[in-house]
Amino acid sequence: MTTYESELLRVLDERGYVHQATDAAGLDALAARQVVPGYIGFDATAPSLHVGSLVQIMMLRRMQQTGHRPIVLMGGGTTRVGDPTGRDESRKMLTDEAIADNIAGIRTVFEKLLVFGDGPTDAVMVDNQDWLGELGYIEMLQKVGTHFTVNRMLTFDSVRLRLEREQPMTFLEFNYMILQGYDFRHLAQEMGARLQMGGSDQWGNIVNGVELGRRMDGTELFGLTTPLLTTADGAKMGKTAGGAVWLNEAQLPAYDFWQYWRNADDRDVGRFLRLFTDLPLDEIVRLEALEGSEINAAKVVLANEVTRLVRGEDSARSAEATAAETFAGGAGEDLPTLAVGPEGMRIGAVLTALGFTASNGEAKRKIAENAVRLDGAAVADPGFLVLPEIGRDLRLSLGRKKHAILTR
């Protein structure tokens, strides 16, 4: 672990946020002597962000906690283009009204995790449609496009992978990285932004912005990315049998959100506590050292802390109480057990085999009613294949009264 002079880099490094930096020493020196305005961009493709975006939101929170100014950039303009990064097909175009509604919904999460205002370290939310919408496209390309080469753009994973898979990429999408680079330059000029942060998949886009500021204005800008976030078993962060783990209550009940963290893999507990809670590091070290069934206590702490930050104190208490009531009596020693075999079983067949439903048709109805949960997460797909990992049981629930343990 590198020794940093600034509290900002020290906290980000100690808690596991740092993957790549364009000039870590230069950013460290800058953060040690002045308030650094830094931003992360979020496109408004849905009325809520999901857990996969939470590490980025927490980075902005760490900026504010260490005396710097977080800028939340909403991509009202770039949402109309579509970031090709990690996508095999073009993004569906949204109406202006839908984008505005999505931004309003997303803002509610940031208001829980950041302090907004007019002070030097208060957070601010801006929308790139305010400046991208005013650009004359030809004039912008004449000013900015000359600083990008197609040769290099074709080497970026976001472009190269799409071409290798022979998936079409529109010219509109191809311009996304130019617009994102222009965002950095605009925020540097208008708001003094010196740092752009993002996930590791945004590295190429961030570097473009750093280089654009240097070439056009001679401004020293910095970029920093987080590691690719996956669970210990290699799954993408924020995906469950029931779908995406949304941050907003309207898209996902607090109990489901709480259960997602409560069901974390034992190997992920310490890492998640560092990234997603404000607990002191020495307390996290104590919790992640727990072994056997005691690690479940650490998972409850994780679930409570994250839910408290994202959903509020009342939601965390209510979710924990519901879980305690639902699974009173421990891990399920007295619950029926079903071995689904090495090939697994469809969720409807599992419910019928356990006698929880009289037929697969009834099972489908219960699933449609959002009454079926697997390890606390709602199952929305009646064709979902239940296939536990070897040595790791799953807990199935139908409503609040019918529970079972599923094994391989």
Side-chain angles (χ1 to χ4, degrees):
M1 187 174 292
T2 306
T3 301
Y4 290 108
E5 181 182 356
S6 69
E7 186 181 7
L8 172 63
L9 268 294
R10 187 165 61 250
V11 167
L12 292 179
D13 189 45
E14 288 175 344
R15 288 187 171 265
Y17 294 97
V18 180
H19 175 58
Q20 293 171 296
T22 56
D23 179 6
L27 176 59
D28 184 41
L30 182 70
R33 67 175 182 265
Q34 71 175 64
V35 173
V36 175
Y39 83 96
I40 300 176
F42 303 87
D43 279 348
T45 56
S48 170
L49 299 174
H50 55 70
V51 163
S53 297
L54 188 56
V55 68
Q56 313 304 331
I57 301 173
M58 291 300 295
M59 288 182 76
L60 293 173
R61 182 175 174 87
R62 302 303 182 211
M63 283 197 72
Q64 191 163 57
Q65 289 174 334
T66 56
H68 300 279
R69 189 184 193 196
I71 300 171
V72 182
L73 173 63
M74 293 309 306
T78 44
T79 296
R80 291 164 169 82
V81 176
D83 183 359
T85 303
R87 300 179 63 87
D88 287 337
E89 57 186 20
S90 298
R91 176 185 292 170
K92 179 182 177 181
M93 292 295 105
L94 301 177
T95 64
D96 292 352
E97 293 75 15
I99 291 173
D101 288 345
N102 288 347
I103 291 175
I106 289 170
R107 183 182 175 94
T108 61
V109 169
F110 286 98
E111 288 174 338
K112 292 183 176 72
L113 292 161
L114 300 173
V115 176
F116 287 83
D118 300 322
T121 63
D122 286 341
V124 61
M125 178 176 282
V126 295
D127 182 352
N128 63 15
Q129 175 63 12
D130 292 344
W131 55 87
L132 295 180
E134 296 176 354
L135 285 174
Y137 183 65
I138 294 177
E139 290 78 5
M140 187 276 290
L141 288 181
Q142 287 176 328
K143 290 173 56 179
V144 179
T146 56
H147 298 283
F148 293 80
T149 68
V150 172
N151 307 63
R152 189 175 184 199
M153 292 166 76
L154 290 173
T155 67
F156 293 148
D157 286 346
S158 58
V159 177
R160 181 177 54 80
L161 293 176
R162 284 273 284 273
L163 297 179
E164 288 178 355
R165 295 168 184 161
E166 296 184 356
Q167 296 286 347
M169 173 181 286
T170 67
F171 184 68
L172 184 65
E173 292 175 287
F174 194 65
N175 277 269
Y176 188 95
M177 60 189 74
I178 296 178
L179 297 176
Q180 185 169 330
Y182 185 82
D183 281 344
F184 200 173
R185 181 190 180 233
H186 176 88
L187 291 173
Q189 289 185 318
E190 300 298 323
M191 304 186 68
R194 302 291 299 277
L195 171 65
Q196 182 185 359
M197 300 180 293
S200 59
D201 60 342
Q202 292 295 316
W203 177 250
N205 291 337
I206 291 173
V207 169
N208 272 336
V210 170
E211 294 180 351
L212 184 65
R214 174 178 55 81
R215 290 172 180 172
M216 294 190 71
D217 309 309
T219 306
E220 185 180 25
L221 302 177
F222 301 92
L224 189 150
T225 64
T226 58
L228 177 65
L229 201 59
T230 59
T231 57
D233 59 5
K236 188 174 182 180
M237 184 75 181
K239 296 292 185 181
T240 70
V245 183
W246 299 103
L247 300 183
N248 286 23
E249 183 79 22
Q251 281 68 45
L252 185 74
Y255 177 72
D256 290 355
F257 185 80
W258 188 93
Q259 279 288 346
Y260 173 77
W261 301 100
R262 168 61 182 83
N263 294 328
D265 189 293
D266 294 359
R267 297 165 291 178
D268 287 324
V269 172
R271 182 164 61 110
F272 287 177
L273 285 168
R274 287 178 175 83
L275 290 171
F276 301 116
T277 80
D278 290 339
L279 289 178
L281 291 177
D282 55 353
E283 173 65 4
I284 293 173
V285 170
R286 183 189 72 81
L287 289 170
E288 69 179 340
L290 296 176
E291 298 180 350
S293 61
E294 290 184 348
I295 193 67
N296 290 327
K299 294 182 183 182
V300 171
V301 172
L302 171 66
N304 285 340
E305 291 297 317
V306 181
T307 305
R308 184 177 295 113
L309 282 176
V310 177
R311 298 295 184 83
E313 181 70 35
D314 290 345
S315 292
R317 289 181 178 178
S318 176
E320 183 182 15
T322 299
E325 177 186 346
T326 301
F327 297 105
E333 294 178 357
D334 299 326
L335 297 180
T337 300
L338 176 68
V340 301
E343 304 299 324
M345 291 177 65
R346 301 295 175 185
I347 187 68
V350 169
L351 291 167
T352 303
L354 285 164
F356 287 3
T357 56
S359 65
N360 287 348
E362 182 186 355
K364 288 182 179 180
R365 289 194 295 274
K366 294 298 183 182
I367 292 168
E369 293 168 2
N370 204 35
V372 179
R373 297 178 185 276
L374 197 60
D375 267 0
V379 179
D381 179 8
F384 179 76
L385 181 66
V386 179
L387 184 60
E389 296 178 15
I390 296 175
R392 185 181 180 189
D393 298 341
L394 297 177
R395 191 162 45 190
L396 175 72
S397 300
L398 175 62
R400 291 196 173 188
K401 295 184 178 180
K402 294 183 178 179
H403 311 288
I405 300 299
L406 307 181
T407 68
R408 189 69 168 265

